[in-house]
Amino acid sequence: MSRQIDLPSDSKIEKLEGTAGTTMDEGVDAKDLTACCALCCVSTNLYCTWPGCIGCHQKGDMCCIQIEGVACKVGVTEGSLCMCVKSELECIKPTTCIKMTEQCFCLDCRCAFPCDDEVPCALTVLGLTCCLNWSPKCECGAKLAEDKEEGGAPAEELADEEQEMQVMERQ
């Protein structure tokens, strides 16, 4: 990914949050993907989030070239109904050997070397994930990435504390 650049206040380009180096925000979140087939740093996944699965999106870095494009995606900015075609090609300072993601309707394919959060190291055959993020895992229909908890007490402890508070309020 390229370095974040602050745009001048009079710029006609709108820099959307959550993007790096490009101005598009139509990409797929790895937390929304269900692994179908994966071998190390390459994976094929199902993307069944509605209406985000409509259309196509591709983004990639290869050495010093970054490319991103969308076609037939639902509009994500105010007043936009549909993004027919939009693409960018940029020369960047290299940060990785290769990283590519492509989503076409419900199918998402991605690769990266080295692996990262968006393209974790995985071994999945016919939807059965045997290894994820270099750790053994046996799960059918596993998500490619998991939500990271923000910390705090585990849910069980919170439930116990809520029950104690209710008992104290009754007394």
Side-chain angles (χ1 to χ4, degrees):
M1 296 282 174
S2 63
R3 174 176 65 91
Q4 292 283 355
I5 297 173
D6 293 327
L7 297 172
S9 60
D10 62 343
S11 174
K12 302 261 189 241
I13 299 173
E14 181 182 347
K15 186 69 175 173
L16 299 173
E17 294 296 319
T19 60
T22 59
T23 57
M24 295 183 206
D25 195 31
E26 290 86 358
V28 176
D29 189 347
K31 295 178 196 116
D32 296 331
L33 298 174
T34 303
C36 291
C37 182
L39 180 59
C40 194
C41 57
V42 179
S43 68
T44 301
N45 313 285
L46 287 178
Y47 178 55
C48 299
T49 301
W50 183 260
C53 66
I54 297 173
C56 299
H57 175 267
Q58 52 108 26
K59 182 173 184 173
D61 293 357
M62 187 175 350
C63 296
C64 61
I65 302 292
Q66 184 177 66
I67 186 169
E68 183 170 13
V70 295
C72 301
K73 294 293 279 183
V74 175
V76 295
T77 58
E78 188 175 329
S80 174
L81 300 176
C82 177
M83 177 62 65
C84 295
V85 176
K86 181 177 174 182
S87 63
E88 296 180 6
L89 179 66
E90 188 174 4
C91 290
I92 61 169
K93 179 181 175 185
T95 57
T96 187
C97 291
I98 187 168
K99 180 176 180 176
M100 304 291 280
T101 65
E102 181 179 6
Q103 172 259 322
C104 191
F105 296 96
C106 293
L107 189 63
D108 176 271
C109 299
R110 47 189 61 215
C111 66
F113 185 78
C115 297
D116 62 11
D117 290 340
E118 291 180 10
V119 187
C121 179
L123 175 60
T124 303
V125 179
L126 300 173
L128 177 63
T129 301
C130 302
C131 178
L132 185 62
N133 287 323
W134 306 99
S135 300
K137 180 175 191 167
C138 187
E139 183 177 343
C140 194
K143 294 291 184 182
L144 192 62
E146 297 176 4
D147 289 324
K148 295 186 179 181
E149 295 182 16
E150 294 293 322
E156 295 171 4
E157 288 182 25
L158 291 175
D160 291 341
E161 289 177 14
E162 287 176 10
Q163 288 177 348
E164 288 177 15
M165 292 296 288
Q166 290 174 354
V167 169
M168 291 174 65
E169 287 174 0
R170 291 183 197 152
Q171 294 177 352

